[in-house]
Amino acid sequence: MSDPIRLLIVDDHPVVRNGLHGMFAGDPEFEVVGEAADGAEAVAYAQSLAPDVVLMDLRMPGMDGVAAIRKLATLAIRSKVLVLTTYDTDSDVLPAIEAGATGYLLKDTPRAELLRAVRAAARGEAVLSPTVATKLLGQVRAPAKDDLSKRELEVLALIAKGATNREAAAQLFISEATVKTHLLHLYAKLGVSDRAAAVATAFARGLLR
């Protein structure tokens, strides 16, 4: 018999953690090795416990799920991250996948599907809920409503590097208000509503490298 899949559960709600723990604890294929209430705890436990799969919530106080996924990747932690969240908006899905999540499921996923997904994630297979898969395909396939202008691409490239509006304005020798205008235009063209989603979508479409 193969070793059980070692699982770290990350969620800021104790009731959710307890429910998930009970779900997996009743199956000999899985071993819950730890629970974390935020991203910082998740990173610390992943380093010390070396779970096979981290079941990661996204919206948590302090370090959120996406930041934790990025940190795990930076530290070269080999655990696979399977996002389990309530949210399937572009601003949640794309940054999580870009950060390195192996899969993305919603919390209304049936128990049997969740167990299958964790098994698949442990094997390194991508796992996406149907609504998330449809959303990602739409983002990759859909061309920008209008091509981004050279200036809009310049602004976006600086934002992707972490520049603030003021810093981008200084580097491009334009006003901060002009930067904001360019951002609003490129948000509309990319079909997104914030900076993180704009950067993730631009990378997914090959507009940024």
Side-chain angles (χ1 to χ4, degrees):
M1 184 175 179
S2 60
D3 293 332
I5 295 170
R6 294 165 52 80
L7 188 65
L8 172 63
I9 296 172
V10 185
D11 198 290
D12 60 326
H13 295 290
V15 172
V16 174
R17 292 199 307 273
N18 291 341
L20 289 170
H21 194 141
M23 182 186 301
F24 287 99
D27 192 315
E29 283 190 75
F30 304 95
E31 178 188 358
V32 178
V33 296
E35 298 180 18
D38 57 42
E41 277 192 359
V43 172
Y45 285 145
Q47 286 181 286
S48 62
L49 299 173
D52 299 307
V53 177
V54 179
L55 202 57
M56 181 80 74
D57 191 19
L58 286 186
R59 300 191 184 182
M60 298 178 288
M63 181 185 287
D64 64 17
V66 171
I69 296 169
R70 290 197 185 105
K71 186 66 174 178
L72 291 172
T74 300
L75 295 171
I77 302 296
R78 299 181 66 180
S79 307
K80 306 300 181 183
V81 178
L82 180 58
V83 171
L84 184 65
T85 183
T86 307
Y87 308 98
D88 65 351
T89 62
D90 290 347
S91 59
D92 291 299
V93 174
L94 290 170
I97 299 300
E98 289 288 333
T102 299
Y104 197 113
L105 296 179
L106 300 180
K107 286 183 177 176
D108 60 2
T109 300
R111 177 181 183 275
E113 289 184 23
L114 178 56
L115 298 186
R116 281 197 297 270
V118 172
R119 293 187 196 102
R123 295 191 297 266
E125 299 172 9
V127 184
L128 298 172
S129 71
T131 56
V132 170
T134 300
K135 188 177 292 291
L136 283 175
L137 283 173
Q139 285 289 339
V140 172
R141 289 175 178 170
K145 295 175 183 177
D146 297 292
D147 289 336
L148 297 188
S149 69
K150 179 182 178 182
R151 181 63 87 188
E152 287 164 354
L153 284 171
E154 290 172 342
V155 170
L156 189 56
L158 290 172
I159 296 302
K161 293 177 181 178
T164 64
N165 289 355
R166 179 173 296 179
E167 290 167 344
Q171 291 191 50
L172 296 174
F173 301 102
I174 57 179
S175 70
E176 191 172 347
T178 301
V179 169
K180 292 179 181 177
T181 299
H182 285 312
L183 284 173
L184 289 175
H185 288 167
L186 66 89
Y187 288 171
K189 291 179 180 181
L190 295 175
V192 299
S193 59
D194 60 42
R195 298 158 73 98
V199 171
T201 300
F203 277 115
R205 296 186 187 177
L207 299 174
L208 292 175
R209 298 189 182 281

